[in-house]
Amino acid sequence: MVREELSSKSISIVEVGPRDGFQNVRKEIPTGDKVKIIDLLSAAGLRSIEATSFTHPKWIPQLKDAAEVIRRITKPPGVVFSALIPNEKGLDRAIENGLEEVVFVVSASEALNRENFNKSTWESLAELSSIAEKARRNGVQLRGAIAASFGCPFEGSVSVERVIEVAEAFRNAGVSAVTLADTTGMAHPLQVKELLSVLLSQLSDLPIALHFHDTRRIGLVNVYSAWQAGAKIFESSIAGLGGCPYAPGAPGNVATESLVYMFHKMGVETGVNLDRLVECSQITQELVSDRRPDQGQG
Ligand code: MG
């Protein structure tokens, strides 16, 4: 997470393509190509990059080279590289590999949490305190992410109260920020505005990040709505990589280059060089291009 104070005329971006994007690419991306893309992202000015996931390769074989990726990437000063961790074992591997920040995901929807992690939301949150304690002892920053914050493919709507409960649990565990993830691209702009107006007033001390998908081509509209509601941290993916396992063929995450273009046009700084980012997007698309036709691009 970018640590400096943000002025009203700037936002910060968490680039999630190397984790959220690569894990949805069926083709095996050579480790060297992953390293090249991550290096281009940091060279373009991105200061927070979710670089991989320390999840068992049985579940996400696409990221089985997590440790090697972290070892080989260039680490310019001021750039924070993070990894997703599904459990304490993932945290141990992140610590061994010198990560500064980890992300722990809990779903606001009971059904999606069981589907993804084979346990209830509250069982996941029960693990949180030991993970947070170990991360703190090891000087690793912990970020929370709430999947299905705007709806669940199994349960349908997810209540604002439920999202707040999970966000409060994360805050009590001492996380540096919480990401509201629109895991299956169900959010709409008025819902975004309403959820954020409640969250930003009730949990005003907790930095909130937004993770939107372009499943229904309204990802950027949701970004704009969140920004108008006061949000300043956005997660996005280079070339719009990513996808939704419940909507085959749907576009992936909001594309970082589209998000940067929009904010720059509005006079909002991102710290990113758009020309270099667009070049990085083109190279990324070439390197991952022989994906199966049902993989979204966005
Ligand atoms: Mg995503």
Side-chain angles (χ1 to χ4, degrees), residues 16 19-20 24 183 211-213 242-243 252-253:
V16 298
R19 196 277 305 166
D20 196 349
N24 282 290
T183 311
H211 178 120
F212 289 119
H213 280 216
N253 292 70

Side-chain angles (χ1 to χ4, degrees), residues 171-298:
R171 182 188 61 177
N172 295 341
V175 298
S176 59
V178 162
T179 298
L180 306 180
D182 183 21
T183 311
T184 54
M186 293 167 82
H188 66 78
L190 279 179
Q191 179 192 16
V192 170
K193 184 180 165 188
E194 283 164 16
L195 177 57
L196 276 175
S197 68
V198 177
L199 260 180
L200 293 173
S201 63
Q202 288 197 18
L203 300 171
S204 56
D205 53 339
L206 182 66
I208 301 288
L210 280 305
H211 178 120
F212 289 119
H213 280 216
D214 217 11
T215 317
R216 293 172 177 81
R217 310 277 185 194
I218 58 169
L220 265 191
V221 191
N222 288 325
V223 168
Y224 180 70
S225 180
W227 177 72
Q228 287 221 305
K232 289 188 167 60
I233 310 167
F234 297 93
E235 297 189 358
S236 59
S237 172
I238 190 69
L241 290 182
C244 166
Y246 309 101
N253 292 70
V254 165
T256 308
E257 58 273 30
S258 303
L259 187 139
V260 168
Y261 177 84
M262 180 181 83
F263 279 115
H264 286 188
K265 279 291 188 187
M266 298 194 300
V268 179
E269 287 171 25
T270 65
V272 177
N273 179 317
L274 183 58
D275 291 339
R276 295 185 80 165
L277 188 67
V278 168
E279 201 180 321
C280 173
S281 171
Q282 284 160 351
I283 293 169
T284 302
Q285 289 176 61
E286 282 159 25
L287 290 177
V288 304
S289 64
D290 68 344
R291 287 167 290 157
R292 289 195 320 197
D294 68 342
Q295 288 301 301
Q297 182 174 324

